[in-house]
Amino acid sequence: MPADVPHPDLRKHGLPNSADRPFGPHVVSTPYDSLSRSERRGCAAKGSQKRFQVSRVHDRYAARLQQIESLRTQIELAVGHIQSFRSKLLFTVRGEFLHSISGNPPIARISAPRGVNVQLYLLLLMEAQSRSQGGQPASSQLPLVAGPRDVSWTNLVVSPAKANLNAAVRISEQGNRARQVRSAFIRLEQEGLVRIESGRRRSTFRASLLHESGMKGTTHPYIIPYPFESALHLPRSFYTQGWIYLLTPSEIRMYMALRHLSQRLPLKHAEEGVYCAGFERVNAYAISRDVYESHLTLSKFGLIQNMDNPLRHRDGKYVRAQEKLAAGKALPAHRFKVCPDTALFDPAFQRVRRGLKSLLP
């Protein structure tokens, strides 16, 4: 946000305005490394760069709070559609979607910070498993677009799409969201996760799921998992309480990776927690540093627990890390415990809103 533009008034959401914050107005549009020489000179005091970076993070949380407020009605309508599906306690995601020994699993390939690809694919799995029994193939019968009270992929997917009535070709909010969903389907098809069986027009649209491994160039069909299969299980409340809509793609990836690890290593998880580091994190789960750091918000939402470690600060950084590395000492991995499924039983809106507010100054 340019410096001459006032920070949006957040008091109506119960949040502090920029004038109330300890470091004054928060400029978030220009990275520190891009500042001019004179601007850098003004930040020359010790700690100025850190305060600048922290202020950007705070503004990102504040902007996210405003966004989820604007999506509240859309989320309630989408959840209402989900609740009309056949009741099922657990939904299954095979491990190949999250984890690959050869690296770069499908969830990493389709994930985008502001995209709906991950959200759409998890909704596709949920819809298919609600409709069919284990061992059966799955082909979506839902239309791409329908009326607001009818179930369609455009009404199930939640995104901050906006109307553009000033363009040469005017487009409504729903039309913009339909275009985003259509693009997401095409992306999933490119990664070998779905097959679009008929025309991409809304009146003839039909798609079939392919296997979670996302093997490009193949058409290995998706088969509904049997209850006894060893895989990642997500409770129904992950969908019906809105978590799928209010967690970012990075948070979903980190949460599912830790949940997958907890189910692969149940005894270790119960005793001391699990960790996602080294080859397992970088290659098998393809979790970048930005995705990994979403554990900070997941813990604030009450979905995971950061295990106490006297060698770490509260933000997770090591105490005197450079000295330990210089001395040739190994740094222990950061361990986590995934909270019980009851943590997902509460409405996501309230928990996410409260967690984000706790991260603001």
Side-chain angles (χ1 to χ4, degrees), residues 58-76:
H58 291 160
D59 273 301
R60 191 163 65 243
Y61 292 145
R64 184 176 171 188
L65 273 165
Q66 286 188 311
Q67 183 181 85
I68 66 175
E69 288 280 359
S70 67
L71 295 176
R72 188 167 190 169
T73 300
Q74 192 183 148
I75 291 172
E76 290 173 350

Side-chain angles (χ1 to χ4, degrees), residues 70-279:
S70 67
L71 295 176
R72 188 167 190 169
T73 300
Q74 192 183 148
I75 291 172
E76 290 173 350
L77 291 172
V79 166
H81 290 312
I82 291 175
Q83 290 174 339
S84 68
F85 294 164
R86 183 175 66 88
S87 179
K88 187 174 181 179
L89 295 179
L90 291 173
F91 294 99
T92 303
V93 183
R94 291 187 177 94
E96 293 95 324
F97 180 61
L98 312 166
H99 183 275
S100 174
I101 299 300
S102 59
N104 208 20
I107 192 172
R109 303 201 305 263
I110 67 172
S111 182
R114 294 179 179 83
V116 297
N117 303 339
V118 173
Q119 180 191 140
L120 175 61
Y121 190 71
L122 293 179
L123 286 168
L124 279 161
L125 296 181
M126 180 273 302
E127 189 271 339
Q129 294 178 32
S130 297
R131 180 168 36 83
S132 305
Q133 300 294 329
Q136 298 180 1
S139 177
S140 170
Q141 305 297 322
L142 296 182
L144 185 67
V145 179
R149 296 187 178 276
D150 299 320
V151 183
S152 69
W153 290 116
T154 302
N155 291 339
L156 282 177
V157 169
V158 170
S159 74
K162 296 181 179 179
N164 188 354
L165 303 180
N166 297 322
V169 179
R170 296 184 177 184
I171 185 168
S172 65
E173 179 181 324
Q174 188 187 38
N176 204 358
R177 189 161 62 250
R179 183 170 60 182
Q180 189 175 14
V181 173
R182 191 182 297 110
S183 297
F185 266 110
I186 294 173
R187 178 62 176 162
L188 295 181
E189 184 180 45
Q190 291 171 344
E191 295 299 334
L193 292 169
V194 302
R195 181 175 68 251
I196 300 177
E197 297 180 342
S198 52
R200 288 173 169 81
R201 295 172 54 189
R202 65 180 65 183
S203 58
T204 60
F205 184 86
R206 186 181 178 187
S208 291
L209 277 166
L210 298 178
H211 194 269
E212 292 103 316
S213 58
M215 298 173 63
K216 297 181 182 181
T218 66
T219 56
H220 187 48
Y222 173 80
I223 303 298
I224 303 294
Y226 289 101
F228 54 79
E229 284 192 42
S230 177
L232 172 71
H233 300 291
L234 290 172
R236 179 179 173 83
S237 55
F238 179 79
Y239 295 91
T240 58
Q241 295 298 341
W243 292 101
I244 187 174
Y245 299 122
L246 288 174
L247 296 181
T248 65
S250 293
E251 289 166 352
I252 289 176
R253 286 185 60 195
M254 187 63 183
Y255 178 68
M256 294 181 71
L258 292 176
R259 195 175 175 95
H260 188 236
L261 283 166
S262 71
Q263 293 178 2
R264 288 171 56 199
L265 307 167
L267 294 179
K268 187 173 288 294
H269 176 262
E271 293 173 359
E272 55 186 4
V274 293
Y275 61 87
C276 188
F279 177 88

